Amino acid sequence: MSLTTAALPAVPLTAIIGWSGLFIHNLAELPGQSLLSPESFIPLLVTAILVAGWFTPIRHAATLAMLGWGLLHFFGGGLISVLPLPFLPFLPEQTLSHYCSTLFTPWPSCRSS
């Protein structure tokens, strides 16, 4: 079995896990969220397009785009949007619960803090 064949289920699986974490976070932290809310649906659409691209001849470009998408979420959603920075159009909640929601959304034990 080649490395490419072995990696086939890993790409869609990790994409689903990553988007699920974002969706759970949005449900917990943003009022009135649903699957069709833009904060959740647009990232799902982008993720689906990138994963679909990974299964085509443009795999290399799709891989780089997925890396960029992941870095955007890490820095933009995981770091910058959690800090109370003056250029943000909102003031993030500065509580342990919010930090846990941002860092450990898939783990429900953090939600109780």
Side-chain angles (χ1 to χ4, degrees):
M1 179 182 325
S2 73
L3 181 60
T4 304
T5 307
L8 281 178
V11 170
L13 182 63
T14 54
I16 289 168
I17 291 170
W19 179 82
S20 297
L22 173 75
F23 183 61
I24 292 168
H25 170 271
N26 288 351
L27 287 176
E29 296 294 327
L30 303 173
Q33 289 295 297
S34 73
L35 182 61
L36 297 178
S37 299
E39 297 87 353
S40 299
F41 186 72
I42 293 172
L44 172 62
L45 188 61
V46 171
T47 301
I49 290 168
L50 293 176
V51 169
W54 192 83
F55 288 102
T56 68
I58 61 165
R59 176 177 288 188
H60 182 70
T63 301
L64 292 175
M66 281 189 272
L67 175 63
W69 186 241
L71 290 172
L72 174 70
H73 279 277
F74 176 74
F75 288 108
L79 294 177
I80 294 172
S81 71
V82 179
L83 302 173
L85 300 172
F87 62 85
L88 293 176
F90 56 89
L91 231 111
E93 184 181 344
Q94 301 297 308
T95 63
L96 182 59
S97 175
H98 182 247
Y99 291 133
C100 286
S101 173
T102 300
L103 293 173
F104 306 109
T105 299
W107 292 277
S109 61
C110 205
R111 295 299 309 153
S112 61
S113 57

